[in-house]
Amino acid sequence: MAAEIFVKKQTIDLRKKHIGPSCKIFFSHDPVKIVRAKGQYMYDEKGQRYLDCINNVAHVGHCHPDVVKAGAQQMELLNTNSRFLHDNLVLYAQRLQATLPDKLSVCYFVNSGSEANDLALRLAWQYTGHKDIITLENAYHGHVSSLIDISPYKFQHLSDDERNQTVHVAPSPDVYRGKYRADHPDPASAYADEVKDMIHGVHEKGGKIAAFIAESLQSCGGQVIPPTGYFQQVAQHVRKAGGIFIADEVQVGFGRIGTHFWAFQLQGEDFVPDIVTMGKPIGNGHPMSCVVTTKEVAEAFMSSGMEYFNTFGGNPVSCAIGTAVLDVIAKEDLQGNALRVGGYLARLLEQQKEKHPLVGDIRGRGLFAGVELVKDRLTLTPATAEAQEVIYRLKEQYILLSADGPHRNVLKFKPPMCFTEEDADLVVGKIDQILTELEEALGLKLQNALSLENGSSKRKLPAEENGHVYLGALSHDRGSSRGLPQQAKRLRT
């Protein structure tokens, strides 16, 4: 197909006409029309290049030639379902299992992260015979009905009566903003004890725990890094109650954290989940995913007497693409690149924290990093509007970044793994400029980190559109006539 068939306005109009209105788009007031991509760059219909700091799906780089070639060559030969024998399926399963602890040896191939997590719940329910699920505050695990039930990121606005009563929400193990913070003597045990107490509460009401599910590092929840030892202790409590542990690696797997191939391995060699789910980066943009579990869990699933069949899961083309992704990660040392460039990025961001009062926390591992913006470092008042201003100003300078977390004040870095130190220099340099202008407009100084709360409490809250809050003509109310820079104001027109 041609790179562009319709002019941008026609594309927008047709999207509004034929695509469901709940299917949102980035930068909705002025969306970007992308027609091609390569490596860590995306190009619009005018040929303008954007640095992509968002796409953890294009794991080894957009349109990597080795991945494209592997898929095209297999597609020319055969693509069919897994009821026929084909070597690609078993070869890929073998390669994938080699990256995991020996205990995790049985694969189920599916087509999306949502499908993988949904199947993981089915495995847990069948293996344990229990129904109750413990999930984490601000978690997101997918869009199908069973996963909306366990995703507070989505269901938090529902009333208690509308929520699934067999789903229980434990505190996010956030040591910056959470219940137990970095100054706590043992936040891992404190957060794990919350899960232990929750299990007791479930038992008192006659429930039984089937599983605890968590992203190995929370993404939509705000790039949260659990304290070391937390998962081990949670797993001990959950298994003692007859449940199992599901590690969701859909966002953070395949070497992104640099030091390890899987993010759950950050907890230590003594921690092995009972089920691991994966998606997004597994196919570099090709729709595929996987559930890996133990022999015991798989055999229990089979004992139900119900056959499991997935039409497209594990087809020869998907497995050829998945194998090519693993090959590229190894050949180009992308896990090592994530460690090196991620470390460099972290150092640059830490320098911004020393310079800018709006920067409250820098956290992450490898090429999975978060910058939490706050109005006051003592009260941790979220700088939601300011974070949105940063990403919109970056977009004007052809850099694509997103903001998330429960307050949408965390700048999220999860770029393709071919991201370079030069790319890091560029984006952090632009963030530095934008924060400098914002802080000047707001009258913020690092020495005293003046709270914006007194000046903003009488203002109307910023308008929200598609989950993004726009800063608007935010001015300094304490006698200053300065508002935002003109370029920032232009975003609302």
Side-chain angles (χ1 to χ4, degrees):
M1 296 179 68
E4 185 182 33
I5 299 172
F6 306 109
V7 298
K8 184 174 177 179
K9 172 117 179 13
Q10 287 178 290
T11 304
I12 293 171
D13 290 343
L14 287 167
R15 182 180 175 110
K16 289 179 179 177
K17 181 178 180 181
H18 295 299
I19 306 302
S22 57
C23 299
K24 303 302 182 182
I25 192 169
F26 285 133
F27 311 108
S28 57
H29 77 286
D30 182 24
V32 183
K33 184 174 184 180
I34 298 297
V35 299
R36 65 185 181 93
K38 191 75 172 177
Q40 66 272 46
Y41 301 107
M42 305 178 82
Y43 299 82
D44 69 14
E45 77 280 12
K46 297 178 181 177
Q48 177 62 55
R49 189 180 81 173
Y50 290 79
L51 175 62
D52 181 6
C53 303
I54 293 175
N55 267 295
N56 58 335
V57 178
H59 191 64
V60 301
H62 290 279
C63 305
H64 194 287
D66 291 6
V67 178
V68 173
K69 182 179 179 181
Q73 287 184 340
Q74 182 57 52
M75 203 175 296
E76 289 178 344
L77 291 173
L78 171 72
N79 199 21
T80 187
N81 66 65
S82 59
R83 293 193 191 211
F84 297 99
L85 284 175
H86 198 280
D87 288 344
N88 282 10
L89 176 65
V90 293
L91 284 170
Y92 182 56
Q94 189 177 48
R95 285 282 303 277
L96 195 59
Q97 195 287 318
T99 68
L100 291 157
D102 291 341
K103 176 184 173 183
L104 295 165
S105 61
V106 182
C107 300
Y108 295 88
F109 290 104
V110 288
N111 307 291
S112 71
S114 291
E115 203 173 338
N117 282 329
D118 179 74
L119 178 57
L121 293 182
R122 289 181 60 189
L123 292 170
W125 288 326
Q126 179 63 33
Y127 176 71
T128 65
H130 303 167
K131 194 64 179 175
D132 291 72
I133 302 293
I134 297 177
T135 188
L136 288 178
E137 188 180 22
N138 307 317
Y140 175 67
H141 294 288
H143 63 80
V144 301
S145 296
S146 66
L147 303 179
I148 295 296
D149 282 350
I150 65 167
S151 297
Y153 182 80
K154 289 291 186 181
F155 75 61
Q156 59 187 341
H157 300 299
L158 299 178
S159 68
D160 289 343
D161 291 339
E162 294 175 293
R163 300 179 184 183
N164 188 323
Q165 298 304 304
T166 64
V167 174
H168 314 278
V169 181
S172 172
D174 181 352
V175 297
Y176 177 69
R177 179 180 290 281
K179 186 175 182 179
Y180 308 107
R181 301 182 178 179
D183 58 354
H184 190 281
D186 188 1
S189 295
Y191 279 117
D193 285 345
E194 292 279 339
V195 176
K196 181 180 179 182
D197 293 343
M198 181 168 286
I199 292 171
H200 290 157
V202 170
H203 288 172
E204 288 177 357
K205 294 180 180 179
K208 292 184 178 181
I209 302 298
F212 172 93
I213 183 169
E215 293 174 274
S216 299
L217 306 176
Q218 277 194 300
S219 181
C220 291
Q223 312 295 86
V224 174
I225 315 298
T228 303
Y230 171 66
F231 281 172
Q232 286 96 325
Q233 294 181 61
V234 167
Q236 183 179 0
H237 299 322
V238 170
R239 288 167 179 160
K240 184 177 180 181
I244 62 176
F245 193 109
I246 302 170
D248 179 344
E249 290 271 341
V250 171
Q251 293 268 12
V252 293
F254 292 88
R256 175 162 294 279
I257 62 168
T259 53
H260 301 81
F261 202 78
W262 303 106
F264 73 78
Q265 293 170 323
L266 287 168
Q267 293 284 312
E269 294 182 2
D270 59 335
F271 172 67
V272 179
D274 301 288
I275 298 175
V276 174
T277 61
M278 51 195 76
K280 293 189 188 300
I282 191 173
N284 209 55
H286 179 80
M288 62 182 296
S289 59
C290 187
V291 179
V292 186
T293 189
T294 65
K295 182 179 178 181
E296 294 77 15
V297 172
E299 288 178 346
F301 191 51
M302 184 180 67
S303 70
S304 69
M306 184 186 298
E307 177 193 9
Y308 180 77
F309 173 65
N310 189 301
T311 303
F312 298 107
N315 69 73
V317 171
S318 293
C319 291
I321 288 172
T323 300
V325 170
L326 292 179
D327 288 341
V328 173
I329 292 172
K331 182 175 74 173
E332 299 183 7
D333 188 27
L334 293 181
Q335 182 178 336
N337 188 67
L339 181 61
R340 292 185 294 274
V341 178
Y344 182 75
L345 174 63
R347 290 191 292 275
L348 292 179
L349 293 173
E350 284 291 347
Q351 292 170 8
Q352 298 306 304
K353 183 180 177 182
E354 295 172 3
K355 182 176 181 181
H356 295 289
L358 278 171
V359 178
D361 191 36
I362 306 295
R363 53 183 179 262
R365 298 289 186 275
L367 286 175
F368 181 83
V371 180
E372 180 152 359
L373 301 187
V374 296
K375 295 178 180 181
D376 186 306
R377 289 186 178 181
L378 293 177
T379 63
L380 306 188
T381 306
T384 300
E386 290 80 2
Q388 300 301 320
E389 189 69 23
V390 170
I391 65 171
Y392 274 81
R393 294 274 297 281
L394 285 173
K395 179 249 189 183
E396 288 192 335
Q397 299 180 65
Y398 312 114
I399 297 171
L400 302 177
L401 191 67
S402 63
D404 217 328
H407 306 288
R408 297 192 178 277
N409 66 320
V410 181
L411 306 179
K412 294 174 63 174
F413 289 83
K414 47 188 183 69
M417 297 271 280
C418 49
F419 200 73
T420 67
E421 291 186 358
E422 291 75 19
D423 296 327
D425 283 329
L426 175 64
V427 65
V428 176
K430 297 295 186 184
I431 290 173
D432 182 17
Q433 295 172 11
I434 294 167
L435 290 178
T436 297
E437 293 180 2
L438 286 175
E439 288 164 353
E440 287 178 354
L442 297 166
L444 280 175
K445 303 288 185 183
L446 187 61
Q447 298 95 298
N448 51 12
L450 289 172
S451 171
L452 296 184
E453 290 184 278
N454 291 335
S456 63
S457 60
K458 296 180 181 178
R459 298 193 202 104
K460 190 175 181 180
L461 288 174
E464 182 171 339
E465 178 188 352
N466 297 346
H468 296 294
V469 180
Y470 302 107
L471 193 52
L474 180 58
S475 60
H476 194 39
D477 285 347
R478 285 168 287 193
S480 172
S481 61
R482 291 179 298 170
L484 285 176
Q486 187 61 39
Q487 184 182 23
K489 290 182 181 179
R490 196 173 64 241
L491 292 176
R492 264 68 54 190
T493 60

